[in-house]
Amino acid sequence: SSSSSSSSTQHSNNKTAGSKTADMTRRMVCGGLAGMVAKTATNPLDRIRMLSQTGEHGISGGASVYKLYSSILRNEGVKGLWAGNGANLLRVFPAKAVVFSTNDVYQGFFRGLSHTPKDQKLHPVLSFLAGGFAGMTATACTYPLDFARGRITGKLAPADGGVKKKHYNGIIRTMAVTVKDEGVLALYKGITPTLLGAMPYEGIKFGTVGILERMFP
């Protein structure tokens, strides 16, 4: 009888663990797809923003949104509005997967460090740290894609006699040209401020979840 009860409990625990894994996978896939749709829809505006920031558009005088939009269409065609979107989309799923999986790892580490039982909520400060480190890990893993996107979207192809020329065109080509001209480490240019930004962003997100879970158990 006792062995039967133990077997039943074990089966119930396995079922619960499987349900949690399936739920997390579903949320990750849905979140990833939603992110891909949102990034694709807003990419034209992001392209214009990047050109405004870098100034690599060849427009004399004030570069208004309309002027930049017209220049992109004239020099690169409609597809120019979605330049760099491929790198953005490739980044979504790996980044989310790394954040969720490494957050669990870091939470486990901080649980052991603070001697917090598994049936208790982790302290919000430790949730913040776990989420922050997870965000930094995800950023470090996917940064070359973000770097390539910046180079693709940050420079407008000049139109020379109707012929479109562009140094950075496509994710693979951009990364290959960068490595060839500047070395592998060039793919991580600017990563320090990006990592410092990822720490509070993901940390606050996961830390806030921790606080809300304590407030509304």
Side-chain angles (χ1 to χ4, degrees):
S1 177
S2 62
S3 63
S4 175
S5 174
S6 175
S7 175
S8 176
T9 304
Q10 183 66 35
H11 178 72
S12 176
N13 289 341
N14 289 341
K15 191 174 179 181
T16 303
S19 174
K20 284 183 178 179
T21 303
D23 184 55
M24 181 178 286
T25 303
R26 181 179 58 80
R27 285 190 294 114
M28 205 159 61
V29 170
C30 289
L33 288 173
M36 290 173 79
V37 171
K39 286 183 182 298
T40 300
T42 58
N43 200 81
L45 290 173
D46 197 46
R47 179 80 204 280
I48 291 169
R49 177 185 65 82
M50 289 290 289
L51 287 172
S52 254
Q53 289 178 344
T54 61
E56 297 279 348
H57 44 64
I59 299 173
S60 55
S64 65
V65 171
Y66 177 73
K67 280 186 178 179
L68 286 168
Y69 177 79
S70 300
S71 294
I72 292 169
L73 290 179
R74 184 174 59 252
N75 292 15
E76 301 178 12
V78 176
K79 69 177 184 179
L81 293 170
W82 279 272
N85 192 49
N88 242 345
L89 299 186
L90 280 176
R91 202 164 55 92
V92 170
F93 273 109
K96 281 194 174 293
V98 172
V99 165
F100 275 102
S101 57
T102 56
N103 180 60
D104 288 343
V105 172
Y106 289 124
Q107 284 215 0
F109 170 75
F110 285 119
R111 275 187 185 282
L113 204 65
S114 61
H115 304 291
T116 305
K118 287 186 177 181
D119 59 345
Q120 287 184 18
K121 301 293 182 186
L122 196 62
H123 192 280
V125 173
L126 297 179
S127 289
F128 170 87
L129 289 173
F133 283 123
M136 291 176 77
T137 304
T139 298
C141 290
T142 59
Y143 189 78
L145 288 172
D146 194 41
F147 175 84
R149 182 186 70 87
R151 290 219 161 172
I152 293 166
T153 59
K155 189 173 183 179
L156 185 64
D160 184 14
V163 180
K164 299 178 181 66
K165 297 177 182 177
K166 197 174 184 184
H167 186 52
Y168 299 111
N169 188 11
I171 304 164
I172 303 299
R173 174 174 166 74
T174 299
M175 293 176 75
V177 167
T178 301
V179 170
K180 181 183 176 184
D181 294 348
E182 305 169 48
V184 176
L185 290 179
L187 294 174
Y188 290 90
K189 278 183 178 178
I191 193 172
T192 302
T194 309
L195 288 174
L196 293 175
M199 177 73 180
Y201 176 75
E202 293 294 344
I204 289 169
K205 195 163 72 175
F206 282 102
T208 303
V209 169
I211 292 170
L212 293 174
E213 283 180 342
R214 280 171 171 260
M215 289 173 63
F216 308 103

